[in-house]
Amino acid sequence: MCPDLLDPEIIKQDFPIFKRRVYGKRLIYLDNAATTQKPRQVIEAMREFYQDYNANIHRGVYRLSVEATEAFENARKKVAKFINAKESEIIFTKNATEALNLVAYSWGLNNLREGDHILLTEMEHHSNIVPWQLISKYTKAKIDYISIDKEGLLVDDEVDRLMEKRPKIVSITHVSNVLGTINNVKKIVEHAHKIGAITVVDAAQSVPHMQVDVQEIGCDFLAFSGHKALGPLGVGVLYGKRDLLEDMNPFLGGGDMISRVWLENSEWNELPWKFEAGTSSIADVIGLGAAVDYLNSIGISRIRKHEIKLTKYALETLSEISDLKIYGTNNLEQRGAVISFNLANIHPHDLATILDEEGIALRAGHHCAMPLMNKLGVAATARASFYLYNAESDVDALVEGLNKARRIFKL
Amino acid sequence: MSSEIYRDMILDYYRHPRNYGSIEDAEIKVQESNPLCGDDIELYIKFDEEKNVKDIKFKGRGCAISVASASLMTELLKGKKLDDLLSFSKKDLLEALGIETLGLNPVRIKCALLPYKALKIGVYSHIGKKLSEEEKHILDYESESQQD
């Protein structure tokens, strides 16, 4: 077998959850855009922390605390290296949403005012829309949205037109969680920087699946979550350029983010701790470090190759089902491993119920992207999203399940 | 098995919804939605002089379960007294739909209860009782049958 290709059946052995049965059937997990399953190595790293050296970090002088601090900061090193950033530029949050809110509040609130523009796209997740709506309310800055075409790609002319309004900040998703569209963030960041805008990339759907290099993209901020990248729930990451982070006010106040506190005021801690108020989710951060190790051991480019192959197979086999409408582009270079679809007029919730019975975990709903649903003219879609442990046999099971749904609904 | 819910009766009520539409001069007009899946229902009830349901209609978009449920509910309630609408329970609706014993998961039970929630909010507001957020919550989350 070509060493370049992944064998999902071997990968699956690292994930204890695949031993379980769902209604007596094997688990076919196709909801990776929502959260991913955890390899033994991640679960083990967290168990070790709680069992062997559970202690609070940074302030303790005793052995356990030193070990915990080392493991915590070591995870930061791993994450920094993973996206080619400096350690001081990696801030741990509770999730990608909090990371985006951090930028919206700490940067947006202090730098935006009436007459300013914020530039987003129509394909954003609510987490990259709602924080800006809140900031827009406080600052009276106006939000513009780059529209998408029928294929689910950003319209280049619209990018140019809206950049002419000289937005102060441009915040865009790297990969759409609904359409799978991979946006050319590097190009948009370059354009935005030419007009002096600050740039934010929502990389929640890209970092787990493809090589993401913040130096290469050139963005000012980039956010992602750990749990979509085989890591535990409860930890997200914000990358930010050092000079910008230094100029910003803290997002949350509390312990750990200060260097000195008086009754009247406080001095902020150094980066990145200035933005990490209170006790962090230490075990989760350590677990994320283990997830990064795991991804590195497999190789992120191999994962991407595997996903392209699987997405190609899925697009081909799904398109053979009549009355099935797939959203997004067919160009595999511009598409992540996410396939949203509708089958005739069967409501996605009904589809998901029928597929559930076959052990297939598939998402149905608006995927936290209601403006995009409106644009597509649907209330909801069904969505299959793949990862390294998915195989062609999972796609085959999906197709079979959809054919069962056709029979039940007498199509 | 939960796909048993999609038997002919349910599919028929879904494909050919009874009492579909709106009533211009309805005494009760209420709109409810399920933000989870974007399902949306409008319910209209018109009473006669004796406070019996003279006409009841619904419209909206939703999954087979919520549409069939709304469709069946309107059929059950036509001609009923206002008091009957107040005493109409989750159990009554779920039993009529035949989904009480199917082991349908709570998310989908919520679909079935969307029209019920609209009914209760509409009727309560008609008699001048405003439901608190907590009471609304109970309407759609507690799937066990209970007297309202």
Side-chain angles (χ1 to χ4, degrees), chain A residues 6 31 40 71 95 184 194 203 236 257 284 306 347 387 395 399:
Chain A
L6 289 182
D31 197 15
R40 208 177 48 239
N95 48 34
N184 188 342
K194 254 182 224 155
M257 51 72 71
D284 297 328
H306 171 71
H347 193 285
Y387 210 5
V395 176
V399 169

Side-chain angles (χ1 to χ4, degrees), chain B residues 3-12 96-99 102:
Chain B
S3 75
E4 282 170 29
I5 175 74
Y6 302 109
R7 59 194 187 287
D8 290 349
M9 183 268 258
I10 296 282
L11 290 179
D12 186 56
L97 285 161
I99 63 179
L102 284 178

Side-chain angles (χ1 to χ4, degrees), chain B residues 28-44 58-62 66 70 73 110-111 113-123 125 130-133 135-137 139-141:
Chain B
I28 294 178
K29 286 182 188 175
V30 58
Q31 185 260 336
E32 266 300 305
S33 52
N34 177 354
L36 201 78
C37 49
D39 284 1
D40 190 75
I41 180 178
E42 287 167 42
L43 186 68
Y44 301 85
F58 82 99
K59 67 179 192 186
R61 58 183 184 182
S66 71
M73 188 182 84
K110 210 177 149 181
C111 298
L113 291 178
L114 182 65
Y116 173 82
K117 188 182 177 188
L119 171 75
K120 290 293 163 172
I121 289 170
V123 172
S125 108
K130 200 170 154 29
L131 290 171
S132 67
E133 282 308 308
E135 284 167 314
K136 280 188 197 172
H137 190 73
L139 282 182
D140 57 14
Y141 275 92

Side-chain angles (χ1 to χ4, degrees), chain A residues 160-349:
Chain A
D160 296 343
R161 184 179 72 82
L162 291 168
M163 287 283 189
E164 271 170 31
K165 296 193 175 186
R166 303 209 154 253
K168 281 267 175 70
I169 190 154
V170 178
S171 190
I172 47 170
T173 189
H174 194 177
V175 175
S176 159
N177 72 311
V178 176
L179 301 162
T181 311
I182 302 174
N183 290 317
N184 188 342
V185 283
K186 185 184 160 133
K187 192 174 143 198
I188 294 172
V189 163
E190 274 170 10
H191 194 155
H193 282 169
K194 254 182 224 155
I195 58 154
I198 294 293
T199 52
V200 188
V201 173
D202 172 2
Q205 301 292 344
S206 61
V207 164
H209 302 276
M210 57 196 70
Q211 185 84 54
V212 172
D213 180 330
V214 291
Q215 310 303 331
E216 162 80 13
I217 296 171
C219 55
D220 297 303
F221 298 98
L222 180 136
F224 65 97
S225 56
H227 71 96
K228 289 184 185 0
L230 307 181
L233 294 153
V235 54
V237 175
L238 176 70
Y239 155 81
K241 276 187 184 159
R242 192 177 174 97
D243 51 340
L244 284 166
L245 292 175
E246 269 173 354
D247 281 348
M248 279 155 58
N249 278 328
F251 175 42
L252 301 170
D256 235 20
M257 51 72 71
I258 41 75
S259 57
R260 286 191 292 179
V261 176
W262 300 273
L263 289 178
E264 298 77 19
N265 56 11
S266 305
E267 239 172 44
W268 313 138
N269 199 346
E270 289 170 28
L271 290 175
W273 305 289
K274 172 179 152 186
F275 290 99
E276 292 177 359
T279 300
S280 296
S281 201
I282 303 165
D284 297 328
V285 168
I286 292 169
L288 176 57
V292 168
D293 285 342
Y294 186 86
L295 289 172
N296 282 332
S297 76
I298 305 291
I300 199 81
S301 56
R302 281 174 82 210
I303 294 174
R304 172 74 182 133
K305 263 185 206 158
H306 171 71
E307 289 182 0
I308 290 176
K309 189 168 156 266
L310 197 56
T311 305
K312 181 170 187 278
Y313 181 72
L315 288 172
E316 280 165 10
T317 46
L318 286 170
S319 62
E320 280 166 23
I321 301 176
S322 40
D323 312 317
L324 190 114
K325 162 130 186 83
I326 295 172
Y327 303 97
T329 179
N330 273 322
N331 181 348
L332 293 163
E333 292 301 310
Q334 282 178 286
R335 177 167 202 141
V338 176
I339 302 179
S340 282
F341 59 89
N342 269 310
L343 179 54
N345 57 358
I346 305 178
H347 193 285
H349 259 196

Side-chain angles (χ1 to χ4, degrees), chain A residues 371-398:
Chain A
L372 178 55
M373 293 293 115
N374 290 337
K375 174 85 180 193
L376 298 175
V378 294
T381 73
R383 180 188 73 188
S385 50
F386 310 119
Y387 210 5
L388 69 170
Y389 37 63
N390 290 118
E392 289 186 357
S393 59
D394 295 340
V395 176
D396 294 340
L398 172 63

Side-chain angles (χ1 to χ4, degrees), chain B:
Chain B
M1 293 295 263
S2 48
S3 75
E4 282 170 29
I5 175 74
Y6 302 109
R7 59 194 187 287
D8 290 349
M9 183 268 258
I10 296 282
L11 290 179
D12 186 56
Y13 274 96
Y14 167 57
R15 293 242 168 75
H16 313 286
R18 325 298 200 257
N19 305 308
Y20 194 87
S22 54
I23 304 170
E24 192 74 1
D25 55 345
E27 277 98 353
I28 294 178
K29 286 182 188 175
V30 58
Q31 185 260 336
E32 266 300 305
S33 52
N34 177 354
L36 201 78
C37 49
D39 284 1
D40 190 75
I41 180 178
E42 287 167 42
L43 186 68
Y44 301 85
I45 302 176
K46 184 166 175 53
F47 296 103
D48 62 17
E49 296 78 37
E50 276 97 50
K51 281 283 172 195
N52 295 321
V53 177
K54 191 178 168 196
D55 199 7
I56 177 167
K57 281 190 171 20
F58 82 99
K59 67 179 192 186
R61 58 183 184 182
C63 62
I65 297 177
S66 71
V67 171
S69 173
S71 176
L72 183 69
M73 188 182 84
T74 54
E75 219 175 49
L76 289 172
L77 297 179
K78 212 169 212 177
K80 289 276 166 25
K81 294 183 172 55
L82 178 60
D83 279 350
D84 298 330
L85 301 191
L86 284 164
S87 64
F88 184 72
S89 71
K90 286 177 198 170
K91 192 171 186 241
D92 295 335
L93 182 59
L94 295 177
E95 265 180 8
L97 285 161
I99 63 179
E100 268 227 306
T101 53
L102 284 178
L104 207 62
N105 76 39
V107 181
R108 304 311 312 278
I109 295 271
K110 210 177 149 181
C111 298
L113 291 178
L114 182 65
Y116 173 82
K117 188 182 177 188
L119 171 75
K120 290 293 163 172
I121 289 170
V123 172
Y124 285 145
S125 108
H126 181 68
I127 61 168
K129 183 182 168 194
K130 200 170 154 29
L131 290 171
S132 67
E133 282 308 308
E134 194 184 345
E135 284 167 314
K136 280 188 197 172
H137 190 73
I138 290 169
L139 282 182
D140 57 14
Y141 275 92
E142 279 189 19
S143 51
E144 305 81 29
S145 54
Q146 53 174 274
Q147 293 309 312
D148 281 290

